[in-house]
Amino acid sequence: MVIVLKPNPDPQQLAALRSWLAAHDLTVHDSVGVTNTLLGLVGDTTAVDIEMLRAMSIVQDVRRIQEPYKCANRKMHREDTVIRVGNATVGGGGFAIMAGPCSIESEEQITAVAKAVKAAGATLLRGGAFKPRTSPYAFQGLREEGLKLLLAAGKETGLPVVTEIMDISQLPYFDEVDVIQVGARNMQNFELLKELGRLKKPILLKRGFSATLTELLMSAEYIMAGGNEQVILCERGIRTFATDTRNTLDLSAVPLLRTMTHLPIIVDPSHGTGIRSLVKPMAVASAIIGADGLMVEVHDHPEKAWCDGQQSVTPEAFADIAAACRAVLPHRCREEMNA
Amino acid sequence: MVIVLKPNPDPQQLAALRSWLAAHDLTVHDSVGVTNTLLGLVGDTTAVDIEMLRAMSIVQDVRRIQEPYKCANRKMHREDTVIRVGNATVGGGGFAIMAGPCSIESEEQITAVAKAVKAAGATLLRGGAFKPRTSPYAFQGLREEGLKLLLAAGKETGLPVVTEIMDISQLPYFDEVDVIQVGARNMQNFELLKELGRLKKPILLKRGFSATLTELLMSAEYIMAGGNEQVILCERGIRTFATDTRNTLDLSAVPLLRTMTHLPIIVDPSHGTGIRSLVKPMAVASAIIGADGLMVEVHDHPEKAWCDGQQSVTPEAFADIAAACRAVLPHRCREEMNA
Amino acid sequence: MVIVLKPNPDPQQLAALRSWLAAHDLTVHDSVGVTNTLLGLVGDTTAVDIEMLRAMSIVQDVRRIQEPYKCANRKMHREDTVIRVGNATVGGGGFAIMAGPCSIESEEQITAVAKAVKAAGATLLRGGAFKPRTSPYAFQGLREEGLKLLLAAGKETGLPVVTEIMDISQLPYFDEVDVIQVGARNMQNFELLKELGRLKKPILLKRGFSATLTELLMSAEYIMAGGNEQVILCERGIRTFATDTRNTLDLSAVPLLRTMTHLPIIVDPSHGTGIRSLVKPMAVASAIIGADGLMVEVHDHPEKAWCDGQQSVTPEAFADIAAACRAVLPHRCREEMNA
Amino acid sequence: MVIVLKPNPDPQQLAALRSWLAAHDLTVHDSVGVTNTLLGLVGDTTAVDIEMLRAMSIVQDVRRIQEPYKCANRKMHREDTVIRVGNATVGGGGFAIMAGPCSIESEEQITAVAKAVKAAGATLLRGGAFKPRTSPYAFQGLREEGLKLLLAAGKETGLPVVTEIMDISQLPYFDEVDVIQVGARNMQNFELLKELGRLKKPILLKRGFSATLTELLMSAEYIMAGGNEQVILCERGIRTFATDTRNTLDLSAVPLLRTMTHLPIIVDPSHGTGIRSLVKPMAVASAIIGADGLMVEVHDHPEKAWCDGQQSVTPEAFADIAAACRAVLPHRCREEMNA
């Protein structure tokens, strides 16, 4: 961390700053320039509150050199984290495929979709039971009942299941769920993250609508700091001025995140584009750039889907997508990071 | 709502769409063009799932004409909503001033600030007890203890208090809190919103980092649909490419929201800019364009604040800001909407 | 085009609107709802000024159904446009690779790079002579002198050359240039676009920092409406809140643009990410999703480049990128549009 | 400027970097930390190419401490720049009002509007002759003919005129124009800016759709570095995800720019919001926060305007807006910067 002092800082305030830094076990190296003096801090600055330093009247600017996350940091943990759940594996060079309907609608629907996606090569079954919807008047998911149907479909097909939690109070229903998803709107629901940090269960953390990569990793850090190191990151599109697609899928985040963290990174091209015909090209692109997997919305009758039908693909289309992804895996552009 | 059909729609699917619409009590008016046929829907379309319609293969596009919110809609409720809390009033032509520290740090601090802001003209006392922080290693607030200190300071000064809730599980601590704040990160924490809809207590709802005005109103609608009509909206800056300020304060949202909704609208220039010297001009601008109030971070020693010190002002500066706002109230540009 | 009238429109104004529409050869189909009347317009609405209609006091909203571009529209021209320049081809299923330095710096440099990229498989040589730089104090390019060096290097290697024009007054120098590039900052320099529309030479049009896809196509339309139909579109990243990369590369724009237009679409992963290590994965992703080509910055000594060295790759790295792209071409996810 | 070196930099490369810095008359102060060494540069770093430094393999990061602009910098020129044009003054505590139609449409129209805005208190007459339009099929302005009409209306009313230039080739027509406007789309048309830098005439420079404040000042610097110091900056809204308004008016940019530069800063609430009813509140807000003036679109029959009618106000509404602005001037929140 580097503190840039304003020209001619008040000596008393500077002395106070120096003792504060010393009290936090930070060694200070001065660099005196013609106009500004720089203080280089040596030590663990993770817990230093950069906002507080910036508020001081003798300080012009503060810059971090070290990342503010530790547990999630690739520098502290060179090896890729590999998460095993049932027969599936996420991270470390494989390619996990999570597929299923946006909303669980009925036993018939989830069972039919589960069988279809398994046959097509999905390795996990996704399905929404608790649904975050912009409108209070829209379908809110089958909730507890939906979870039961999802778990049954998972058992019948042997697929581990992944589904979204919206609030701590729903946790008791998630006992048998294999992977708990935190949605984009809850990426900074810190109380929920802390609670999930107490579990021993993989968490799928979706990037918020307007979250930077560092913020995404800080949210992962909330979970990991609590002791749960099984976090899967998910790029699902960001909100920009560009409204031709529902969101702007930020694919370059995938190889960039791989240099920043050892956690697995998957892509959700369904939400990332919101347009059915774009799911396949963006899925294949995700595979080729080294993503650790995909999350795809599949519905047996997308036109009758209770939500997000516009971006759902049929089981047949999904089979084609999964096959196309598998076909490009030998050509993957995925730099080895463990060295 | 207008449904634009693709050219030459399949007759069977069109018949199915027509029966689905009829089953939802919607009357359909056809408008046959040379290339496309339009279906104009008449009836209450609030609960119609626009996504589902868009997913149909015969549908090219769907456009809403009516707003998807009812309770919050100015059209359904011409009169400004006025919220009374203790001696303070929010909405309807007054100018409420909520002031206090970002974080409650100690009894001395909150009491000193409370007295100072009261003397300077604040009408409500704000203070953070449960603090959403990007880093798990940053100060997380004094929590329950902080709430007690805030309530005591409120009692001592006679100011009603406003403070942020981060999770449903914290609700029991909020019994005596006058106004419950939902932060920007939780604007779409729908389970929390539903729970707050069951209370009979004013809710201060902050706009999310990347929320449109319609999304903000839909979140208010979640609270109101549950029976709690006391919602105060707060513009606090949005996230854009422009990083010269912490956020981009979207001031034109204030007069625009007034045409859309009858709910009170306040502005938070502290978070909206993140820069101390910009708080005064943006506060005065908020007053002049007809905002129903302000939320300002005040700290007796901003340089020692445990969070957000960079944007906090001293009690002296706050007194100057409050006086400047009062001075311009007679010149307010606030169109009468009740007519 | 659909005009949504406000409830109870003034009859005289409505009559005036109807005659105006009739005078523009548009037939009007009314659709009377309970609250609003819709007017569906039939005819060529390309030249209808949507802003003017919106300004009328009886009009609530206006929606386009047909695209505002004609020459660039895939609907009017099903076949992919294929542009031939020297031995190179852009569009129609091939994969053009434009490579070279950000700035032409010397005869040695441009010749060395030209030979290296040709050997590695580049099909066009790029190089900047007129350089748009944010700072007036930064290197502005070798200008006329640079163009001569570029043309010489092109001749020596047999590669057609592509280089940027910044102003109409520079046109006389571009006589022998094979493809003229319009940079992102000039995408809406309409006078320049009109002038380029008078040429019989391919134009490479880069997407503006904050341009929608429709705006990009409207700028192409400026060139095409003048008679020059040889336009190559280039996705080069957009400006968003996300600053981990220099820009956010909007890859899903590529398959989406293919449905909107018949023009070739290439990707610039160098500017799109601004980070050297991301060029390869994003280049390969571009190839796999069906882009018609790439533009890549290559420098023999990136560390000594006079601009954009941070995103330039060495000739060796470029050879690896080009080979990786070629390897995935058989697996391309590129839907046939000509049918 | 601070250069952060990567851990264990190659000694030979470090020596090369040091000689390069010395050759640029920069003194280097080392600050050796446990992991990273920092090099603090002392001297004029304006012309140092930060991109080039970042491209070096031993460099981890580079941070500017000094601003990259000199002529426009408030630090180099404490006094507000005051621009005098005819009887009007822009900057230094006055409040200039530029008003007139988006497009000049006829002699009757521009003369009528000119008289009306003069009577209402406008100090300059604006009007578009050369019009940048997204569509090549939309009205492109009356061009030379329009300029003549504008100049005549200016003479008749005694108001200096301001109008937009789109290309260097149009310069000969601008001889008698008092203030030349550079539109948002041309903010980084550097060749045009350089040419305008050779004039002795005020230039009104509009902020680009996605330009940071530093980029705006760098574009001003292009003009000033050429010798023309009469630059007026104009905030006119930026492009964000928020589409409730045409643009997001970034009002906090005004007081922030005042700390960065001595140049006058005006606001265009017409383009900034795109909604007629928002022009008045945002105009008054601009006056109160210390803007040096306004640019407002006024049309005698907004419903018949050939462009941007939706955001134009009538002469009566303009008179009300101008009066409201004048009324708040005594209450302005405009910090003295000259001290």
Side-chain angles (χ1 to χ4, degrees), chain A residues 176-211:
Chain A
E176 294 178 60
V177 168
D178 301 283
V179 179
I180 301 182
Q181 175 178 325
V182 176
R185 289 173 184 82
N186 276 316
M187 191 201 85
Q188 293 195 320
N189 184 336
F190 300 122
E191 297 299 306
L192 177 60
L193 298 179
K194 284 185 205 169
E195 203 65 33
L196 298 176
R198 295 194 187 98
L199 304 183
K200 295 283 165 231
K201 198 177 275 231
I203 307 300
L204 174 63
L205 180 65
K206 289 195 143 189
R207 182 178 182 185
F209 285 26
S210 56

Short mmCIF file of all heavy atoms in Angstrom, two decimals, chain A residues 176-211:
data_model
loop_
_atom_site.label_atom_id
_atom_site.label_comp_id
_atom_site.label_asym_id
_atom_site.label_seq_id
_atom_site.Cartn_x
_atom_site.Cartn_y
_atom_site.Cartn_z
N GLU A 176 -30.13 -31.28 1.90
CA GLU A 176 -29.71 -32.31 0.96
C GLU A 176 -29.25 -31.73 -0.38
O GLU A 176 -28.86 -32.48 -1.28
CB GLU A 176 -30.86 -33.29 0.71
CG GLU A 176 -31.21 -34.10 1.95
CD GLU A 176 -32.39 -35.01 1.67
OE1 GLU A 176 -32.28 -35.86 0.76
OE2 GLU A 176 -33.44 -34.86 2.34
N VAL A 177 -29.35 -30.43 -0.51
CA VAL A 177 -28.91 -29.81 -1.76
C VAL A 177 -27.39 -29.93 -1.88
O VAL A 177 -26.68 -29.73 -0.89
CB VAL A 177 -29.36 -28.32 -1.78
CG1 VAL A 177 -28.68 -27.56 -2.91
CG2 VAL A 177 -30.87 -28.24 -1.89
N ASP A 178 -26.90 -30.27 -3.05
CA ASP A 178 -25.47 -30.51 -3.20
C ASP A 178 -24.66 -29.22 -3.34
O ASP A 178 -23.59 -29.09 -2.75
CB ASP A 178 -25.23 -31.41 -4.42
CG ASP A 178 -25.93 -32.74 -4.27
OD1 ASP A 178 -25.43 -33.59 -3.52
OD2 ASP A 178 -27.02 -32.92 -4.86
N VAL A 179 -25.16 -28.30 -4.14
CA VAL A 179 -24.48 -27.01 -4.32
C VAL A 179 -25.50 -25.90 -4.13
O VAL A 179 -26.56 -25.91 -4.76
CB VAL A 179 -23.87 -26.89 -5.74
CG1 VAL A 179 -23.17 -25.54 -5.93
CG2 VAL A 179 -22.90 -28.04 -6.02
N ILE A 180 -25.20 -24.95 -3.25
CA ILE A 180 -26.13 -23.84 -2.99
C ILE A 180 -25.70 -22.64 -3.82
O ILE A 180 -24.55 -22.21 -3.77
CB ILE A 180 -26.14 -23.45 -1.50
CG1 ILE A 180 -26.55 -24.66 -0.65
CG2 ILE A 180 -27.10 -22.28 -1.27
CD1 ILE A 180 -26.63 -24.36 0.85
N GLN A 181 -26.64 -22.13 -4.57
CA GLN A 181 -26.36 -20.99 -5.44
C GLN A 181 -26.74 -19.68 -4.75
O GLN A 181 -27.81 -19.56 -4.16
CB GLN A 181 -27.15 -21.15 -6.74
CG GLN A 181 -27.02 -19.96 -7.67
CD GLN A 181 -27.79 -20.17 -8.97
OE1 GLN A 181 -27.87 -21.29 -9.48
NE2 GLN A 181 -28.38 -19.12 -9.50
N VAL A 182 -25.84 -18.69 -4.85
CA VAL A 182 -26.15 -17.32 -4.42
C VAL A 182 -26.32 -16.50 -5.71
O VAL A 182 -25.39 -16.44 -6.53
CB VAL A 182 -25.02 -16.73 -3.56
CG1 VAL A 182 -25.30 -15.28 -3.21
CG2 VAL A 182 -24.84 -17.57 -2.30
N GLY A 183 -27.47 -15.92 -5.88
CA GLY A 183 -27.77 -15.21 -7.13
C GLY A 183 -27.08 -13.86 -7.22
O GLY A 183 -26.55 -13.33 -6.24
N ALA A 184 -27.11 -13.29 -8.41
CA ALA A 184 -26.44 -12.02 -8.67
C ALA A 184 -26.94 -10.93 -7.72
O ALA A 184 -26.16 -10.11 -7.22
CB ALA A 184 -26.68 -11.60 -10.12
N ARG A 185 -28.24 -10.91 -7.45
CA ARG A 185 -28.80 -9.86 -6.59
C ARG A 185 -28.35 -9.99 -5.14
O ARG A 185 -28.49 -9.06 -4.35
CB ARG A 185 -30.33 -9.92 -6.62
CG ARG A 185 -30.92 -9.49 -7.94
CD ARG A 185 -32.42 -9.74 -7.94
NE ARG A 185 -33.02 -9.42 -9.22
CZ ARG A 185 -33.01 -10.23 -10.27
NH1 ARG A 185 -32.41 -11.41 -10.18
NH2 ARG A 185 -33.59 -9.87 -11.40
N ASN A 186 -27.87 -11.17 -4.76
CA ASN A 186 -27.45 -11.41 -3.39
C ASN A 186 -25.93 -11.50 -3.24
O ASN A 186 -25.45 -11.87 -2.18
CB ASN A 186 -28.09 -12.69 -2.85
CG ASN A 186 -29.50 -12.44 -2.32
OD1 ASN A 186 -29.74 -11.47 -1.61
ND2 ASN A 186 -30.43 -13.32 -2.66
N MET A 187 -25.19 -11.15 -4.28
CA MET A 187 -23.74 -11.31 -4.20
C MET A 187 -23.14 -10.52 -3.04
O MET A 187 -22.11 -10.89 -2.49
CB MET A 187 -23.06 -10.87 -5.50
CG MET A 187 -21.57 -11.28 -5.56
SD MET A 187 -20.58 -10.31 -6.74
CE MET A 187 -20.15 -8.87 -5.72
N GLN A 188 -23.80 -9.41 -2.67
CA GLN A 188 -23.30 -8.66 -1.51
C GLN A 188 -24.29 -8.68 -0.36
O GLN A 188 -24.36 -7.75 0.43
CB GLN A 188 -22.94 -7.23 -1.94
CG GLN A 188 -21.73 -7.22 -2.89
CD GLN A 188 -21.11 -5.85 -3.06
OE1 GLN A 188 -21.81 -4.85 -3.14
NE2 GLN A 188 -19.78 -5.79 -3.08
N ASN A 189 -25.02 -9.79 -0.25
CA ASN A 189 -25.85 -10.04 0.94
C ASN A 189 -24.91 -10.69 1.96
O ASN A 189 -24.83 -11.92 2.08
CB ASN A 189 -27.00 -10.97 0.56
CG ASN A 189 -27.95 -11.20 1.72
OD1 ASN A 189 -27.57 -11.07 2.88
ND2 ASN A 189 -29.18 -11.57 1.41
N PHE A 190 -24.18 -9.83 2.66
CA PHE A 190 -23.04 -10.31 3.44
C PHE A 190 -23.44 -11.24 4.59
O PHE A 190 -22.70 -12.14 4.95
CB PHE A 190 -22.21 -9.13 3.95
CG PHE A 190 -21.66 -8.26 2.86
CD1 PHE A 190 -21.95 -6.91 2.79
CD2 PHE A 190 -20.84 -8.81 1.87
CE1 PHE A 190 -21.44 -6.10 1.77
CE2 PHE A 190 -20.32 -8.01 0.84
CZ PHE A 190 -20.62 -6.66 0.80
N GLU A 191 -24.61 -11.00 5.18
CA GLU A 191 -25.05 -11.87 6.27
C GLU A 191 -25.28 -13.29 5.76
O GLU A 191 -24.92 -14.27 6.42
CB GLU A 191 -26.32 -11.32 6.91
CG GLU A 191 -26.16 -9.95 7.57
CD GLU A 191 -25.15 -9.94 8.71
OE1 GLU A 191 -25.28 -10.76 9.63
OE2 GLU A 191 -24.22 -9.11 8.66
N LEU A 192 -25.86 -13.38 4.57
CA LEU A 192 -26.07 -14.70 3.95
C LEU A 192 -24.72 -15.36 3.65
O LEU A 192 -24.52 -16.55 3.94
CB LEU A 192 -26.89 -14.52 2.67
CG LEU A 192 -27.15 -15.78 1.84
CD1 LEU A 192 -27.91 -16.84 2.63
CD2 LEU A 192 -27.92 -15.43 0.56
N LEU A 193 -23.79 -14.59 3.12
CA LEU A 193 -22.47 -15.14 2.79
C LEU A 193 -21.77 -15.68 4.04
O LEU A 193 -21.17 -16.75 4.03
CB LEU A 193 -21.60 -14.06 2.12
CG LEU A 193 -22.10 -13.49 0.79
CD1 LEU A 193 -21.13 -12.42 0.27
CD2 LEU A 193 -22.30 -14.58 -0.25
N LYS A 194 -21.85 -14.91 5.11
CA LYS A 194 -21.21 -15.35 6.37
C LYS A 194 -21.81 -16.68 6.83
O LYS A 194 -21.10 -17.57 7.28
CB LYS A 194 -21.43 -14.31 7.47
CG LYS A 194 -20.55 -13.08 7.36
CD LYS A 194 -20.78 -12.19 8.60
CE LYS A 194 -20.45 -10.74 8.31
NZ LYS A 194 -20.89 -9.84 9.39
N GLU A 195 -23.14 -16.78 6.72
CA GLU A 195 -23.82 -18.00 7.15
C GLU A 195 -23.38 -19.18 6.28
O GLU A 195 -23.14 -20.28 6.79
CB GLU A 195 -25.34 -17.78 7.02
CG GLU A 195 -26.17 -18.66 7.90
CD GLU A 195 -25.97 -18.40 9.38
OE1 GLU A 195 -25.72 -17.24 9.75
OE2 GLU A 195 -26.04 -19.39 10.17
N LEU A 196 -23.25 -18.97 5.00
CA LEU A 196 -22.83 -20.03 4.10
C LEU A 196 -21.37 -20.41 4.36
O LEU A 196 -20.93 -21.52 4.04
CB LEU A 196 -23.02 -19.61 2.64
CG LEU A 196 -24.47 -19.32 2.24
CD1 LEU A 196 -24.54 -18.80 0.80
CD2 LEU A 196 -25.37 -20.55 2.41
N GLY A 197 -20.63 -19.49 4.93
CA GLY A 197 -19.24 -19.77 5.27
C GLY A 197 -19.11 -20.77 6.40
O GLY A 197 -18.04 -21.36 6.62
N ARG A 198 -20.20 -20.99 7.11
CA ARG A 198 -20.18 -21.96 8.21
C ARG A 198 -20.50 -23.37 7.75
O ARG A 198 -20.38 -24.32 8.51
CB ARG A 198 -21.18 -21.54 9.29
CG ARG A 198 -20.79 -20.22 9.95
CD ARG A 198 -21.54 -19.93 11.22
NE ARG A 198 -21.18 -18.57 11.63
CZ ARG A 198 -21.93 -17.48 11.38
NH1 ARG A 198 -23.11 -17.60 10.77
NH2 ARG A 198 -21.52 -16.28 11.77
N LEU A 199 -20.95 -23.53 6.52
CA LEU A 199 -21.32 -24.84 5.99
C LEU A 199 -20.09 -25.57 5.45
O LEU A 199 -19.04 -24.97 5.25
CB LEU A 199 -22.34 -24.70 4.87
CG LEU A 199 -23.64 -23.94 5.15
CD1 LEU A 199 -24.55 -23.99 3.92
CD2 LEU A 199 -24.35 -24.53 6.35
N LYS A 200 -20.28 -26.83 5.17
CA LYS A 200 -19.23 -27.61 4.48
C LYS A 200 -19.83 -28.09 3.17
O LYS A 200 -20.00 -29.28 2.93
CB LYS A 200 -18.81 -28.82 5.34
CG LYS A 200 -18.15 -28.46 6.64
CD LYS A 200 -16.69 -28.03 6.41
CE LYS A 200 -16.12 -27.32 7.63
NZ LYS A 200 -15.50 -26.04 7.28
N LYS A 201 -20.21 -27.17 2.33
CA LYS A 201 -20.96 -27.49 1.13
C LYS A 201 -20.56 -26.50 0.05
O LYS A 201 -20.37 -25.32 0.35
CB LYS A 201 -22.44 -27.29 1.48
CG LYS A 201 -23.41 -27.94 0.56
CD LYS A 201 -24.82 -27.73 1.04
CE LYS A 201 -25.19 -28.78 2.06
NZ LYS A 201 -26.44 -29.45 1.79
N PRO A 202 -20.43 -26.96 -1.18
CA PRO A 202 -20.03 -26.02 -2.24
C PRO A 202 -21.07 -24.91 -2.44
O PRO A 202 -22.28 -25.17 -2.40
CB PRO A 202 -19.92 -26.89 -3.49
CG PRO A 202 -19.77 -28.28 -2.99
CD PRO A 202 -20.52 -28.34 -1.70
N ILE A 203 -20.56 -23.72 -2.65
CA ILE A 203 -21.40 -22.55 -2.90
C ILE A 203 -21.09 -22.04 -4.30
O ILE A 203 -19.92 -21.84 -4.65
CB ILE A 203 -21.08 -21.42 -1.88
CG1 ILE A 203 -21.16 -21.92 -0.44
CG2 ILE A 203 -22.01 -20.21 -2.11
CD1 ILE A 203 -22.50 -22.46 -0.01
N LEU A 204 -22.13 -21.83 -5.09
CA LEU A 204 -21.97 -21.25 -6.43
C LEU A 204 -22.32 -19.77 -6.31
O LEU A 204 -23.46 -19.41 -6.04
CB LEU A 204 -22.93 -21.95 -7.40
CG LEU A 204 -23.01 -21.36 -8.81
CD1 LEU A 204 -21.67 -21.47 -9.52
CD2 LEU A 204 -24.07 -22.09 -9.63
N LEU A 205 -21.32 -18.90 -6.48
CA LEU A 205 -21.49 -17.47 -6.26
C LEU A 205 -21.54 -16.74 -7.59
O LEU A 205 -20.55 -16.68 -8.32
CB LEU A 205 -20.32 -16.95 -5.42
CG LEU A 205 -20.31 -15.46 -5.07
CD1 LEU A 205 -21.49 -15.10 -4.16
CD2 LEU A 205 -19.00 -15.09 -4.38
N LYS A 206 -22.70 -16.15 -7.90
CA LYS A 206 -22.84 -15.44 -9.16
C LYS A 206 -22.38 -14.00 -9.02
O LYS A 206 -22.61 -13.37 -7.98
CB LYS A 206 -24.30 -15.51 -9.63
CG LYS A 206 -24.69 -16.91 -10.11
CD LYS A 206 -26.00 -16.88 -10.89
CE LYS A 206 -25.97 -17.87 -12.04
NZ LYS A 206 -27.15 -17.70 -12.93
N ARG A 207 -21.75 -13.50 -10.07
CA ARG A 207 -21.28 -12.11 -10.08
C ARG A 207 -22.48 -11.16 -10.10
O ARG A 207 -23.44 -11.37 -10.84
CB ARG A 207 -20.46 -11.89 -11.35
CG ARG A 207 -19.87 -10.50 -11.48
CD ARG A 207 -19.03 -10.41 -12.74
NE ARG A 207 -18.42 -9.10 -12.88
CZ ARG A 207 -17.70 -8.73 -13.95
NH1 ARG A 207 -17.51 -9.59 -14.93
NH2 ARG A 207 -17.17 -7.53 -14.00
N GLY A 208 -22.42 -10.12 -9.30
CA GLY A 208 -23.49 -9.12 -9.27
C GLY A 208 -23.57 -8.33 -10.56
O GLY A 208 -22.59 -8.25 -11.30
N PHE A 209 -24.73 -7.71 -10.79
CA PHE A 209 -25.00 -6.95 -12.02
C PHE A 209 -23.94 -5.90 -12.31
O PHE A 209 -23.66 -5.60 -13.45
CB PHE A 209 -26.33 -6.19 -11.88
CG PHE A 209 -27.54 -7.03 -12.01
CD1 PHE A 209 -27.53 -8.38 -11.70
CD2 PHE A 209 -28.75 -6.48 -12.42
CE1 PHE A 209 -28.67 -9.16 -11.81
CE2 PHE A 209 -29.90 -7.24 -12.53
CZ PHE A 209 -29.86 -8.59 -12.23
N SER A 210 -23.39 -5.31 -11.26
CA SER A 210 -22.42 -4.25 -11.49
C SER A 210 -21.22 -4.43 -10.57
O SER A 210 -20.66 -3.47 -10.06
CB SER A 210 -23.06 -2.87 -11.31
OG SER A 210 -23.64 -2.76 -10.03
N ALA A 211 -20.82 -5.69 -10.39
CA ALA A 211 -19.69 -5.99 -9.50
C ALA A 211 -18.39 -6.08 -10.28
O ALA A 211 -18.34 -6.70 -11.35
CB ALA A 211 -19.93 -7.31 -8.78
#
